[in-house]
Amino acid sequence: MSWMKALENYARTAPEELPKDILLSSTEHTVTVKDAYPKAMYHYLVLPRLPSSLVSSSSRISSLQSLLSGDKEDALRVVKILGDDAELAKSHILEEMRKKHGFEWDVNIGFHAVPSMDHLHTHVISSDLISPALKNKKHYNSFHPTLGFFLHLNDVLEWLTEEKLAGKLHINSAKYEGLLKTDLACFKCDEPFKQIPRLKEHLEDEWKKEKRTAVKQKAMKRVHGTDDGEAQRPAKKTKLASTDETPRTPNKLSEANKAESLA
Ligand code: AMP
């Protein structure tokens, strides 16, 4: 089997037959697995299961590009279902963050504009981008939350629901691939970096800073009697339940990128 087919293979396998250390959860329509080469502390992939009753042909869900170039109602249905199940994975991640680190940070949900693996998949990835598997500029830029290559699922939903986008949507691969060559810069503070090892050290420092601030804020709230209880909140019984308490996913795709996607 070609390595590019690994995700498609998961989608075709009955969830109960997938290895326990790979599977997070499954529903009638989707399966959520651990990314085998995580590019952040928490990284899952939500895949539509195959065969799928969500679309008229399996080729429609071979990629975001094929989905968007097909029937718009089908595309909307698939993206909404992936989004719902990605929110469940996000809730699970937030719970793990609270348990292990005592605070929550952003989790991004979206697609790579030009994927490397066959079969549609949504990334659910913590925003730290701290991982030994994140090794080069392409890896980093592909998950940079505002560069444009990472298409936030909420933005894709917006494209599909905007009246004026009644025609077919098209992803211009060459333009998006160009974004991967963008010079390295921290997605939080914009500081430029020449080499990935230095940027990785910086990202760790940024995360530690975020943790210190969150812990301090919690302590302040306790002192002033306005503790929001995040650290002490008991683990949710329904560990995959969606919640409004979680930080919002950034929805920062620029108008320019939106226009490009239609080019
Ligand atoms: P994309 O660039 O959107 O196609 O990303 C594909 C993702 O699949 C990457 O984050 C890889 O780390 C991940 N991946 C590659 N091979 C496997 C595998 N066998 N099992 C799980 N995840 C994988």
Side-chain angles (χ1 to χ4, degrees):
M1 183 192 68
S2 151
W3 61 269
M4 285 178 67
K5 296 274 176 203
L7 303 185
E8 186 180 327
N9 194 39
Y10 294 150
R12 288 194 189 283
T13 305
E16 57 276 14
E17 285 171 20
L18 286 171
K20 294 261 179 301
D21 56 338
I22 288 179
L23 180 72
L24 175 70
S25 62
S26 65
T27 64
E28 180 190 355
H29 295 296
T30 69
V31 63
T32 301
V33 295
K34 267 191 184 153
D35 193 294
Y37 310 95
K39 306 301 186 297
M41 290 193 212
Y42 301 94
H43 190 177
Y44 291 96
L45 303 169
V46 185
L47 324 166
R49 287 172 63 182
L50 288 169
S52 176
S53 55
L54 296 171
V55 288
S56 46
S57 99
S58 64
S59 64
R60 289 269 173 259
I61 46 175
S62 59
S63 67
L64 183 64
Q65 170 74 83
S66 68
L67 183 71
L68 295 183
S69 61
D71 180 79
K72 205 172 142 226
E73 291 307 315
D74 275 3
L76 190 56
R77 186 178 329 115
V78 172
V79 174
K80 271 187 181 160
I81 284 175
L82 289 176
D84 288 347
D85 293 340
E87 285 296 334
L88 298 181
K90 176 174 168 176
S91 295
H92 169 75
I93 291 174
L94 293 172
E95 189 181 320
E96 292 296 306
M97 288 172 168
R98 284 195 298 271
K99 274 201 285 201
K100 185 159 182 205
H101 300 284
F103 82 113
E104 295 172 355
W105 58 101
D106 283 348
V107 174
N108 294 321
I109 297 174
F111 307 90
H112 277 165
V114 188
S116 57
M117 303 284 286
D118 283 348
H119 193 55
L120 181 64
H121 49 280
T122 309
H123 294 269
V124 185
I125 181 166
S126 55
S127 63
D128 49 90
L129 300 187
I130 296 172
S131 167
L134 192 151
K135 292 187 170 157
N136 54 47
K137 182 191 269 192
K138 188 174 163 186
H139 287 162
Y140 176 75
N141 281 341
S142 72
F143 288 103
H144 188 301
T146 54
L147 195 61
F149 186 88
F150 186 86
L151 303 174
H152 291 274
L153 185 138
N154 284 342
D155 289 322
V156 176
L157 265 185
E158 215 175 277
W159 301 351
L160 285 163
T161 45
E162 277 175 21
E163 285 300 314
K164 62 184 179 195
L165 300 183
K168 288 183 177 175
L169 295 155
H170 172 68
I171 290 175
N172 183 330
S173 302
K175 280 191 184 171
Y176 278 104
E177 277 169 335
L179 293 173
L180 296 177
K181 298 186 182 124
T182 308
D183 288 344
L184 291 173
C186 172
F187 69 89
K188 281 191 180 167
C189 68
D190 271 344
E191 184 176 340
F193 288 88
K194 291 250 182 297
Q195 305 289 344
I196 198 83
R198 265 300 296 131
L199 171 60
K200 284 171 62 104
E201 282 169 19
H202 174 83
L203 292 175
E204 292 212 17
D205 291 344
E206 286 283 356
W207 180 79
K208 284 176 191 157
K209 217 186 323 175
E210 192 173 343
K211 180 172 183 170
R212 275 196 303 274
T213 308
V215 169
K216 211 184 281 177
Q217 276 172 356
K218 229 171 256 170
M220 294 276 281
K221 278 180 186 163
R222 263 199 299 271
V223 168
H224 295 290
T226 54
D227 182 13
D228 63 359
E230 285 293 327
Q232 294 80 30
R233 185 173 298 152
K236 288 190 179 73
K237 287 279 181 275
T238 48
K239 81 173 179 187
L240 297 183
S242 186
T243 170
D244 284 341
E245 302 159 89
T246 57
R248 303 288 302 162
T249 300
N251 189 3
K252 292 177 179 166
L253 189 72
S254 67
E255 287 304 311
N257 272 339
K258 251 190 225 180
E260 271 182 10
S261 73
L262 304 173

